[in-house]
């Protein structure tokens, strides 16, 4: 199922995961859709800015490229172009693709679990009408993917063309979630932070997106990333100052330890009231 994915990439030059066939088979075998499968949305600045919407199924990530990103408004239908399946390992990928197919910056914008609202996912995909529920940091509630280009390209349509639509529920609204919560759920940073952690200088003379909106956006990101990296380099010598001499046991005072319950030490999923606040991350 990953043949097309692998054909388009040179894994000697890209940091993208190649995919483990054994892992895919194990995940497919142990998957329990009614208990929730993995989903993610990756914000990808390549030749154009878009959002890659991915649902785990049969051990791989079914993938759609959504140019304008998901919308919480049920009246807004977002184009979603069906692309090649990706390996499940791609679901946590965040970084810089230096050259070749998809060259650009990838941000892990959202992740969580999804549950199909139909008992037969294969039949729903074949029909081109997949209803599901998301439980992510930013995207929640009921959604649908509807194919608009005909069944597998019949009736003269393009089978890759789908629409991503939010159903009307408690999680719907007119808030622009892409503007309200633009940052990574993995690193909590923006594109320039991800690029600064890599090598922004490489892109100064040759960047993936040269013209248009994406090119202008990337030029600013490269400039900010280079400034971030230069700032870190300038601050680095300070960290080399000798540390103060350690105090003797008599000089040192033992700090009081705070009691931490097992419940407070675990990660708790944000409640509905705090979701909007945490979504800013």
């Amino acid at each position: 199922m990953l043949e097309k994915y692998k054909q388009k990439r040179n894994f000697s030059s890209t940091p993208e995961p190649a995919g483990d066939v054994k892992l895919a088979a194990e995940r497919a075998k142990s998957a329990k859709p009614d208990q929730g499968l993995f989903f993610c949305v990756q914000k990808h600045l390549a030749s154009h800015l878009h959002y890659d919407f991915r649902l785990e199924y049969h051990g791989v990530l079914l993938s759609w490229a959504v140019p304008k990103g998901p919308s919480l408004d049920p009246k807004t239908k977002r184009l979603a172009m069906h692309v090649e399946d990706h390996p499940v390992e791609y679901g946590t990928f965040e970084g810089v693709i230096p050259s070749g197919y998809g060259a650009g910056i990838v941000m892990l914008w959202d992740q969580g679990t999804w549950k199909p609202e139909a008992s037969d996912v294969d039949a729903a995909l074949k029909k081109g009408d997949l209803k599901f529920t998301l439980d992510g940091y930013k995207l929640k509630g009921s959604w649908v993917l509807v194919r608009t280009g005909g069944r597998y390209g019949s009736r003269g349509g393009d089978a890759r063309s789908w629409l991503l639509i939010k159903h009307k529920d408690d999680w719907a609204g007119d808030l622009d979630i892409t503007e309200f919560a633009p940052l990574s759920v993995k690193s909590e940073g923006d594109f320039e932070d991800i690029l600064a952690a890599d090598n922004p200088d490489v892109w100064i003379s040759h960047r993936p997106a040269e013209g248009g909106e994406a090119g202008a956006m990337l030029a600013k990101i490269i400039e900010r990333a280079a400034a971030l990296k230069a700032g870190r380099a300038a601050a680095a010598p300070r960290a080399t100052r000798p540390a103060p001499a350690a105090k003797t046991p008599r000089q040192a005072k033992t700090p009081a330890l705070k009691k931490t319950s097992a419940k407070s030490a675990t990660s708790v999923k944000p409640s509905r009231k705090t979701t909007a606040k945490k979504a800013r991350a």
Side-chain angles (χ1 to χ4, degrees), residues 6-228:
K6 293 183 177 182
Q7 287 170 4
K8 293 181 177 181
R9 290 162 176 82
N10 180 359
F11 295 104
S12 65
S13 61
T14 180
E16 298 167 286
D20 186 328
V21 176
K22 185 178 178 182
L23 174 63
E26 289 175 352
R27 288 184 69 102
K29 186 177 179 180
S30 62
K32 297 180 179 178
D34 58 324
Q35 295 181 18
L37 299 169
F38 178 81
F39 96 91
C40 73
V41 181
Q42 282 155 318
K43 188 175 176 181
H44 188 179
L45 178 58
S47 57
H48 299 281
L49 176 66
H50 62 277
Y51 293 74
D52 292 311
F53 184 79
R54 311 192 194 280
L55 301 175
E56 179 186 359
Y57 189 59
H58 285 332
V60 297
L61 296 176
L62 306 180
S63 300
W64 289 261
V66 185
K68 294 185 178 180
S71 172
L72 304 183
D73 186 351
K75 297 190 297 293
T76 302
K77 300 175 182 179
R78 287 288 162 84
L79 175 66
M81 295 301 292
H82 191 207
V83 298
E84 72 275 8
D85 298 340
H86 282 54
V88 290
E89 300 96 315
Y90 209 103
T92 55
F93 174 70
E94 178 172 279
V96 179
I97 304 173
S99 61
Y101 180 76
I105 312 170
V106 178
M107 173 198 295
L108 185 57
W109 183 77
D110 196 17
Q111 67 175 357
T113 58
W114 77 282
K115 294 180 182 179
E117 295 178 9
S119 57
D120 190 337
V121 176
D122 288 306
L125 288 168
K126 187 174 182 179
K127 183 181 178 182
D129 186 1
L130 178 64
K131 297 180 177 67
F132 52 91
T133 301
L134 297 180
D135 186 11
Y137 285 94
K138 302 175 184 180
L139 304 182
K140 293 181 177 289
S142 181
W143 298 71
V144 63
L145 275 163
V146 182
R147 187 169 53 242
T148 63
R151 183 175 178 179
Y152 296 109
S154 63
R155 297 191 296 277
D158 184 349
R160 297 176 303 158
S161 181
W162 296 61
L163 294 174
L164 177 64
I165 308 169
K166 179 77 185 75
H167 285 150
K168 189 174 182 179
D169 59 17
D170 291 343
W171 302 106
D174 58 4
L175 174 73
D176 187 336
I177 191 64
T178 60
E179 290 189 4
F180 178 76
L183 305 182
S184 165
V185 296
K186 183 175 183 178
S187 63
E188 299 183 355
D190 210 333
F191 280 136
E192 57 261 35
D193 300 291
I194 298 170
L195 182 56
D198 195 81
N199 191 2
D201 293 339
V202 172
W203 282 10
I204 290 175
S205 59
H206 177 72
R207 55 181 184 267
E210 294 288 350
E213 271 185 44
M217 184 186 301
L218 186 54
K220 291 179 181 177
I221 289 169
I222 293 170
E223 184 180 345
R224 291 197 294 264
L228 280 172

